[in-house]
């Protein structure tokens, strides 16, 4: 059975992170894409796929063949659009952050459950190659029991022109949604969270820096973004009772897509050997050992593979409701009260 999909939005997200993967899959078909302003030259790139482009949202919502709608629109629009799609009996995949508040997320998930449908954020960074390498090290306990894990999503971008942004337009909602979700997917809900969220480059704008620590029973996970990091910093640092793991370099899928490569192209998303992670550990005889971790190949299309199984074969969805709400609560709480501070979660 082919899963027929509609898209709301035809910007960078749809063109760079969704369509290159969906159009490769034989069990899926993109039937319609809704967007308000025609981009004929962009539409022509997809001519051979027989996609219908429309500025009539109702025509997409009332198309009974479409079972899944991917919402790739600005942050503040996603709640209303997701609600509208669910009301028209469509499963929804929503670009992250899923909503702008925890209450909105609860409403969307409640409506989906009531309708017997799936609502889920596009947490594609669960399939970053660097994160898959980290998971491999943790699963195999190469460093023993975890003491601390640190995750970075850094840039060096000095300019930050004024814009009238909301709290959810900053780095913590925009990038922290990736790094926090990765930790929640591994370890669940933390007991406490320390927040340090700031705007460094331009005080008139939303945050461009965060240092957030998630405290678990016997270890903590640190997630960080800073837009003024000139010297390369490890993507992941993992310390354990037997040793440490260091991984430099971020997943290459985005870089390849920006350069015009497609997921089916040879060499797509491959991590250079010099970026392979390294484990330094002590073996059972007390000897220092070194282990190179070859970076797995990431694949954002796995999100759609999971949704196919969830919708067609009634399997569990990739991101559970509990994980969705946990991430949203952590994000929203970061903007309630003074910074820095510690918040205790129930």
């Amino acid at each position: 059975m082919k899963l027929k999909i509609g898209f709301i939005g035809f910007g960078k997200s749809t063109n760079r992170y969704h369509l290159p993967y969906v159009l490769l899959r034989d069990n899926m078909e993109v039937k319609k894409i809704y967007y308000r302003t025609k981009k004929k030259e962009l539409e022509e790139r997809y001519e051979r796929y027989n996609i219908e482009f429309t500025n009539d949202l109702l025509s997409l919502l009332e198309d009974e063949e479409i079972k899944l709608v991917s919402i790739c629109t600005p942050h503040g629009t996603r709640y209303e659009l997701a609600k509208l799609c669910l009301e028209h009996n469509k499963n929804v995949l929503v670009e992250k952050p899923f909503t702008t508040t925890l209450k909105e997320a609860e409403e969307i998930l409640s409506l989906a459950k009531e309708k017997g449908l799936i609502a889920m954020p596009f947490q594609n960074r669960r399939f970053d190659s660097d994160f898959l390498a980290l998971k491999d090290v943790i699963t195999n306990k190469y460093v023993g029991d975890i003491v601390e894990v640190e995750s970075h999503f850094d840039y060096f971008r000095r300019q930050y022109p004024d814009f009238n942004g909301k709290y959810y337009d900053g780095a913590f909602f925009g990038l922290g949604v990736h790094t926090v979700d990765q930790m929640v997917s591994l370890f669940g809900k933390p007991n406490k969270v320390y927040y340090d969220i700031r705007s460094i480059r331009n005080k008139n704008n939303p945050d461009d820096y965060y240092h957030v620590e998630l405290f678990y029973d016997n270890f903590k996970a640190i997630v960080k973004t800073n837009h003024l990091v000139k010297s390369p910093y490890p993507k992941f640092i993992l310390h354990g009772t037997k040793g440490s793991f260091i991984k430099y370099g971020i997943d290459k899928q985005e870089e390849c897509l920006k350069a015009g490569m497609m997921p089916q192209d040879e060499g797509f998303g491959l991590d250079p050997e010099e970026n392979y992670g390294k484990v330094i550990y002590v073996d059972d005889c007390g000897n220092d050992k070194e282990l190179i971790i070859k970076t797995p190949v990431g694949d954002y299309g796995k999100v759609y593979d999971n949704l196919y199984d969830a919708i067609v074969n009634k399997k569990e969805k990739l991101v559970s409701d509990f994980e969705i709400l946990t991430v949203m609560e952590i994000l929203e709480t970061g903007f309630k009260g003074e910074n820095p501070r510690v918040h205790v979660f129930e």
Side-chain angles (χ1 to χ4, degrees):
M1 172 187 168
K2 276 205 172 185
L3 177 64
K4 297 197 176 183
I5 303 171
F7 277 84
I8 298 178
F10 192 44
K12 181 178 75 172
S13 175
T14 300
N15 283 279
R16 184 179 293 171
Y17 304 112
H18 292 256
L19 291 179
Y21 296 94
V22 176
L23 295 175
L24 280 180
R25 283 158 164 77
D26 294 332
N27 59 356
M28 298 178 190
E29 176 188 333
V30 179
K31 188 175 183 189
K32 287 184 182 179
I33 296 178
Y34 162 82
Y35 69 114
R36 290 181 296 182
T37 306
K38 292 293 261 184
K39 302 173 185 173
K40 189 168 178 57
E41 69 288 349
L42 197 52
E43 291 180 16
E44 289 172 354
R45 286 171 43 185
Y46 301 99
E47 197 167 6
R48 64 192 177 99
Y49 296 104
N50 298 312
I51 300 170
E52 179 184 339
F53 294 89
T54 179
N55 57 9
D56 179 4
L57 180 57
L58 203 57
S59 74
L60 185 153
L61 294 173
E62 293 183 345
D63 189 325
E64 294 185 1
E65 288 191 335
I66 293 174
K67 302 301 181 186
L68 171 66
V69 177
S70 287
I71 300 172
C72 303
T73 59
H75 297 359
T77 65
R78 294 172 191 161
Y79 162 72
E80 292 293 348
L81 287 170
K83 188 176 176 183
L84 193 59
C85 289
L86 290 167
E87 288 168 345
H88 282 80
N89 298 307
K90 309 296 186 193
N91 299 285
V92 290
L93 178 66
V94 185
E95 261 294 358
K96 66 272 154 208
F98 187 58
T99 55
T100 60
T101 67
L102 176 62
K103 184 175 184 295
E104 288 177 347
E106 289 171 337
E107 289 179 14
I108 291 301
L109 294 175
S110 176
L111 179 58
K113 185 176 182 180
E114 176 189 319
K115 303 279 265 179
L117 298 166
I118 288 170
M120 193 180 85
F122 183 60
Q123 290 292 7
N124 58 312
R125 296 287 180 174
R126 292 192 182 193
F127 298 102
D128 270 352
S129 59
D130 47 69
F131 180 64
L132 295 176
L134 176 73
K135 284 183 70 175
D136 181 46
V137 172
I138 292 173
T139 300
N140 289 290
K141 295 184 78 72
Y142 289 138
V143 301
D145 295 329
I146 299 171
V147 174
E148 182 178 276
V149 58
E150 186 169 342
S151 168
H152 280 252
F153 210 131
D154 295 324
Y155 297 96
F156 187 70
R157 297 173 175 172
R158 297 172 66 190
Q159 303 305 316
Y160 197 23
D162 285 352
F163 77 100
N164 187 27
K166 306 289 187 182
Y167 68 94
Y168 51 75
D169 294 316
F172 190 46
F173 258 76
L175 296 174
V177 70
H178 300 307
T179 54
V180 169
D181 175 74
Q182 287 177 339
M183 296 303 112
V184 168
S185 75
L186 289 173
F187 308 123
K189 188 172 185 176
N191 303 319
K192 297 179 182 180
V193 177
Y194 165 82
Y195 294 98
D196 179 5
I197 303 171
R198 289 179 275 155
S199 184
I200 292 176
R201 293 172 296 166
N202 186 337
K203 301 297 184 186
N204 296 321
N205 285 351
D207 61 285
D208 59 354
Y209 171 96
Y210 63 83
H211 174 118
V212 173
E213 301 185 10
L214 314 177
F215 289 83
Y216 294 90
D217 288 344
N218 298 307
F219 65 93
K220 71 176 178 180
I222 304 167
V223 294
K224 295 189 69 171
T225 282
N226 186 342
H227 283 74
L228 291 175
V229 176
K230 182 61 175 172
S231 180
Y233 202 87
K235 181 68 176 72
F236 287 109
I237 303 170
L238 174 67
H239 299 303
T241 53
K242 288 173 59 178
S244 299
F245 168 70
I246 305 291
K247 169 74 177 79
Y248 280 88
I250 196 169
D251 177 275
K252 297 296 181 183
Q253 290 177 85
E254 182 174 11
E255 181 180 311
C256 289
L257 292 164
K258 283 181 179 178
M261 290 182 71
M262 290 291 109
Q264 68 269 32
D265 293 343
E266 185 177 353
F268 179 87
L270 292 183
D271 202 30
E273 287 189 24
E274 60 267 26
N275 282 352
Y276 286 179
K278 182 186 294 185
V279 176
I280 308 292
Y281 69 101
V282 178
D283 69 12
D284 294 338
C285 297
N287 301 311
D288 288 347
K289 297 285 186 177
E290 183 176 299
L291 179 65
I292 301 300
I293 305 296
K294 182 179 179 180
T295 311
V297 178
D299 182 0
Y300 296 159
K302 294 288 187 184
V303 178
Y304 279 93
D305 291 338
N306 168 264
L307 275 175
Y308 182 91
D309 277 340
I311 294 168
V312 177
N313 300 320
K314 308 304 178 186
K315 301 285 184 67
E316 290 293 319
K317 64 181 180 179
L318 174 70
V319 189
S320 71
D321 287 0
F322 178 77
E323 291 170 336
I324 294 168
L325 295 177
T326 296
V327 171
M328 287 307 308
E329 184 178 5
I330 291 170
L331 292 177
E332 185 180 46
T333 302
F335 296 93
K336 291 182 175 179
E338 294 182 357
N339 261 289
R341 74 184 192 288
V342 175
H343 180 83
V344 180
F345 284 86
E346 296 180 0

